[in-house]
Amino acid sequence: MGKHEISIETTNNPSIVKFNSNQLLTKGGSYQYNNVDEAKESPLSKQLFHLPFVSKVFISANFIAIEKFDIVEWDAIQEEIRELVELYLNQGNSVVTDTAEPKKIAVEIYAESTPNPEVMKFGSNRLLTEKDFEYKNKEATTNSPLAAALFGYVFVKEVYIAENYVSITKTETIEWSSTVVNDLRQYIKSYIEDNKLVIDETIAVSKIEVPQVALEDLTGTSLDIAGILEEYVKPAVASDGGNIIFESYDEDSQVVHVILQGACSGCPSSTVTLKNGIETMLKEMLPNKIAAVVASNG
């Protein structure tokens, strides 16, 4: 195993900062400690509670989140904590002991049909991943034990894991009967309740071969298109268990290229959705700038 490299990530809560590691910190599950007395099974948390401004410590598979009291600002302390955590880990010290009990979580999994008859969406009330990943076969699941396990079902053709749902594409050998759906729903529920690792994001590879285009790197009409897709289209396709990614825009031909993933990939109704939905919306919101929308499957 290589050296731990710790990076700093802000969160929506100004009192909490995440310290991400490029190596796994635990074998799965998450741990929360509200004070030093609760942290008996976490040597790292005990060390952190010695700092007077640390209020709570949350440990997950590949990050440590710290909540602070308001006596100091993060700008004044976060680099010092980053160095402290990195040094601690690279000295071979333990994050949690083998007897530490992961935080108990209540898990609900619900099944939803999608516009693609071959795909079933399994939604969760828990965060599964902060990124999205698509697996076309079992050989591609080296960073996701959950996806690998789902390919153990002989009828599973593809797996797509997003923030709070799993989309499963089946082969044509079976139908989505209530027995099949309930079996998968219960398996995913039990897997998460057992605090097993869903995705090792420290070794995660981008879900598509074509890199996503960052909004900050776009200008002009390309930025307008990507912004519209992000605000108006993505939430809709996510509710159907899929995803859409802006790929490119040609100013000369006025053609927009997008990538479809999850339930949208290979969906029989995706062409209709593109023409009657996305393409029409873009033409109305960006008059005289859009000729067509062309999609490829992720």
Side-chain angles (χ1 to χ4, degrees):
M1 181 177 292
K3 291 182 63 176
H4 286 272
E5 295 179 5
I6 303 298
S7 60
I8 299 169
E9 180 184 344
T10 58
T11 71
N12 293 330
N13 186 332
S15 297
I16 299 176
V17 163
K18 289 172 61 178
F19 297 86
N20 299 314
S21 176
N22 64 333
Q23 305 287 332
L24 276 181
L25 301 175
T26 71
K27 297 179 181 179
S30 58
Y31 306 80
Q32 180 174 319
Y33 302 103
N34 301 307
N35 53 61
V36 68
D37 293 329
E38 292 183 2
K40 295 177 181 178
E41 300 300 335
S42 175
L44 173 57
S45 298
K46 287 175 66 176
Q47 291 290 323
L48 291 171
F49 276 118
H50 288 156
L51 302 172
F53 47 78
V54 172
S55 170
K56 295 179 182 178
V57 177
F58 181 87
I59 298 173
S60 191
N62 69 308
F63 70 83
I64 299 155
I66 298 175
E67 182 174 348
K68 69 172 182 62
F69 293 113
D70 293 334
I71 59 176
V72 66
E73 297 300 322
W74 273 118
D75 287 345
I77 58 175
Q78 62 185 20
E79 180 58 27
E80 179 183 348
I81 294 179
R82 187 198 69 77
E83 292 177 355
L84 183 152
V85 171
E86 192 171 85
L87 177 63
Y88 179 93
L89 294 172
N90 285 324
Q91 287 177 339
N93 296 308
S94 299
V95 177
V96 294
T97 67
D98 292 337
T99 57
E101 289 290 334
K103 180 184 177 184
K104 298 298 182 182
I105 54 176
V107 178
E108 294 296 334
I109 301 293
Y110 56 91
E112 289 184 355
S113 58
T114 75
N116 189 336
E118 303 301 321
V119 179
M120 187 67 64
K121 174 185 175 183
F122 295 87
S124 172
N125 64 331
R126 309 299 303 184
L127 177 69
L128 302 180
T129 172
E130 294 187 351
K131 302 177 183 178
D132 301 350
F133 299 95
E134 188 169 44
Y135 303 98
K136 297 290 189 179
N137 50 61
K138 187 171 184 178
E139 289 70 31
T141 64
T142 53
N143 70 330
S144 177
L146 173 57
L150 290 172
F151 274 106
Y153 288 85
V154 294
F155 56 82
V156 170
K157 183 179 179 181
E158 297 178 15
V159 177
Y160 182 85
I161 303 178
E163 183 177 6
N164 65 342
Y165 67 87
V166 179
S167 287
I168 296 177
T169 304
K170 69 173 182 66
T171 62
E172 297 179 353
T173 57
I174 65 159
E175 298 298 324
W176 284 122
S177 67
S178 58
T179 301
V180 171
V181 172
N182 287 333
D183 188 21
L184 282 170
R185 186 187 66 80
Q186 188 57 50
Y187 181 83
I188 295 170
K189 175 180 169 68
S190 298
Y191 186 100
I192 299 171
E193 284 180 335
D194 289 343
N195 282 291
K196 294 180 180 178
L197 186 63
V198 174
I199 288 177
D200 180 0
E201 295 188 11
T202 66
I203 61 171
V205 178
S206 177
K207 60 190 175 185
I208 55 172
E209 294 181 0
V210 180
Q212 289 197 48
V213 181
L215 286 177
E216 56 266 26
D217 295 333
L218 298 175
T219 58
T221 304
S222 291
L223 179 59
D224 293 335
I225 295 168
I228 292 170
L229 294 178
E230 193 75 24
E231 183 174 356
Y232 297 101
V233 182
K234 274 197 174 187
V237 297
S239 68
D240 287 334
N243 188 34
I244 185 169
I245 297 172
F246 172 76
E247 185 175 14
S248 66
Y249 169 72
D250 188 302
E251 291 190 8
D252 295 328
S253 65
Q254 296 189 332
V255 173
V256 180
H257 288 268
V258 297
I259 297 171
L260 300 177
Q261 295 179 305
C264 297
S265 179
C267 177
S269 64
S270 62
T271 301
V272 177
T273 301
L274 279 172
K275 294 298 179 184
N276 296 344
I278 301 170
E279 188 175 293
T280 300
M281 177 188 295
L282 289 175
K283 286 180 176 179
E284 290 178 353
M285 299 183 75
L286 301 171
N288 303 316
K289 293 184 178 180
I290 307 297
V293 176
V294 177
S296 59
N297 293 325

